[in-house]
Amino acid sequence: MTEVGGTDRAPIVQPRVLMVVAERGTSGRIAQAEEELPSWLSDARTHASSDAAPVVSVVHFSATPQVTPQVTTNAAASLPCLRTWELVDRLDRVEVVHVCRPATPAGELAVLAAKVLKKRLVVSDLAVRDSTLGVSVGMLDLADVLICDSALEAELYGRHPGIRVLDGDDPVLELHSIYADLFRTTRVEAGRKDG
Amino acid sequence: MRILVISNLFPPDIVGGYEMQCSSATEELRKRGHEVMVLTSVPRRRIEASDDHILRLLRTPDVYSPDRYGIRSPFWEFEANLLNVENIYILMDLLDRWRPDVCYLWSLVALGGAAIVSALEHLEMPWVWHLGDAVPADLSHFDGELRELGALFGRTWSGRFLACSQTVVNSVERLVSIAGRTRIVPNWIEMPVANRRDEELGKGEYRIVFSGRLHEEKGIFVLLDAVAELRARGRTDFRLEIVGTGDEAAVRSRIATLGIAEHISLRGWLPRTDLYEVLAASDLFAFPTHMNDPMPLAPLEAAALGCVPLLPRVSGVSEWLVDGVHCLKAERTPEDFATAIEWSMDHPDDLAAIARRGAGVVRESFLPESVMPIVEEELVLAARKARPEMTRIPEVYGIALLADAVLRRHALAIANRDAR
């Protein structure tokens, strides 16, 4: 956790969020991702609504069918280029993980890594279903929150208890609020355990 | 206290001493009034009568059946080490129904052991892992291809460990960090019973015995070469009895090549009672095992019966016995072993004193009543801190299902790569 704040007030704790944008496809091609992604995704890391706003990092992740899947860079977005185990390290350093395009081989791996590390999980499928493997075994049920861009999209997910539709004027603020809620829940649980 | 024991094998389905220790620990905990359930694998042969507290339900790939290696699943390695999703289902079901206070882990090789531990972690179910071997490292080895896996396990597994020797801890630490939360407790034996015929010892032929798997790593060939060295030094007044099975053909061949057959008796496998009679009638238990051997029981059984162990300077069991006090030690070479044997032949009074002290230290430190209170204390401490979250069971099974799908895809990619 990153703690900030002055001496005359209670410390403010900022949730740390890693947004993992899974590369599409299984053939190792680097997708032209930028034009396919919603604006809130690229804005999420720069938006600072308050001192307690989440600290959001974004990485791209590719899981081509090879021995060691890789996090690769999206050249257009100049995002960091990481190896898979570096992704695990990065996941380990945040409280909330947001996987975009989970229904891809890379997305499935990212969801799995996040859950093994007991992270709060947000997913946005962005209408991509390159792989049905994870969805077929209930992968989306592992998400705490499932982000949809519209009510129509939300209907696709039936009774998932964590559906949130980004339909307000400021989707980034909504997103940050979701992260903060998850972070708070984590802290409450941790406090209950410690107490 | 309710204790769930998880072990890949359980007597009578065994391959070595690890599961025998597990069985002994189970019985000792039951004697101490604990409610103990054992979850182990489907046996390789039908077991006629089994106790109600032993559930033989877990699946294993063909890790311990050499004849079946050729027909095992292409996914056997990840099923054996990382995840067997059926085993996770069985474990979750049992945890939900029986609600143990603590899980007491033994060898998890072949059960998909990494996922078992991670599942317990996810539920915040307390666990204590008894290491009679370097199991956490074995689960994450993968021929060195996935070294980061061990580091991840070291970071995310929060339970405590009991290890039978520093040798085991060192082997584990090469891949998985467990230092600082590991307590070293020795293996133990049931006190063997046999009539020691002291009046016969020191008369006639000097009797040396070896008991163990007939395999290079247990040092049988070092010992045969030591016998040849003794012969070369002009010593002929001794006999070596070899008890055990394994690579008999290679052993016979080496005996013939060295021309030492007149000094050797090959006894094959013996029932415990017969083995104890052999040990009780012998002067020296020569055991040049390899340096990473965790802690074999045979030297303790020999010492308990007054047969002095001759051990390599470095190995798990060598950590527990003092050279010249409870045992003899030598470098693991034919020459050094021959020298130590020669010394023991020429110093019967000193050997008798070592034999008495060796038997004494076994009675003091290597019987269940010495070790089990430590085990019990660790289990109680772990259970006391526990607040398991059993509501997470569906989530754990969901993660296991996803992991199974993802790992199969990658295992297939690796298999295809190797095929090319």
Side-chain angles (χ1 to χ4, degrees), chain B residues 199-346:
Chain B
E199 68 282 1
E200 293 178 18
L201 296 172
K203 296 176 185 170
E205 281 183 324
Y206 187 78
R207 293 184 67 172
I208 308 164
V209 60
F210 169 95
S211 170
R213 203 150 30 89
L214 304 187
H215 191 270
E216 192 283 329
E217 65 179 20
K218 291 290 183 185
I220 182 62
F221 300 111
V222 172
L223 187 56
L224 293 175
D225 291 348
V227 167
E229 176 68 19
L230 284 170
R231 274 279 300 260
R233 295 180 189 178
R235 303 303 295 249
T236 56
D237 49 342
F238 67 92
R239 178 152 207 84
L240 169 63
E241 292 191 77
I242 296 173
V243 180
T245 58
D247 197 351
E248 287 96 336
V251 169
R252 286 179 192 281
S253 170
R254 181 70 70 95
I255 291 169
T257 303
L258 296 171
I260 54 173
E262 66 190 272
H263 295 286
I264 310 287
S265 296
L266 284 172
R267 303 290 301 269
W269 179 85
L270 290 180
R272 307 294 304 165
T273 49
D274 292 358
L275 171 63
Y276 295 158
E277 291 296 332
V278 171
L279 293 173
S282 299
D283 301 278
L284 193 71
F285 182 81
F287 197 63
T289 189
H290 64 107
M291 64 183 293
N292 293 321
D293 202 348
M295 191 185 172
L297 302 178
L300 295 181
E301 292 170 333
L305 291 166
C307 178
V308 174
L310 169 55
L311 304 171
R313 294 206 182 281
V314 181
S315 83
V317 71
S318 305
E319 294 172 26
W320 292 99
L321 301 173
V322 179
D323 186 14
V325 178
H326 313 118
C327 69
L328 295 174
K329 292 182 187 173
E331 295 300 328
R332 192 179 185 250
T333 64
E335 296 75 20
D336 225 35
F337 258 69
T339 300
I341 292 170
E342 220 176 353
W343 182 90
S344 71
M345 293 165 78
D346 294 338

Side-chain angles (χ1 to χ4, degrees), chain B residues 185-206:
Chain B
V185 294
N187 282 339
W188 63 93
I189 59 169
E190 303 294 332
M191 191 64 190
V193 178
N195 292 320
R196 177 93 183 152
R197 294 184 290 274
D198 285 329
E199 68 282 1
E200 293 178 18
L201 296 172
K203 296 176 185 170
E205 281 183 324
Y206 187 78

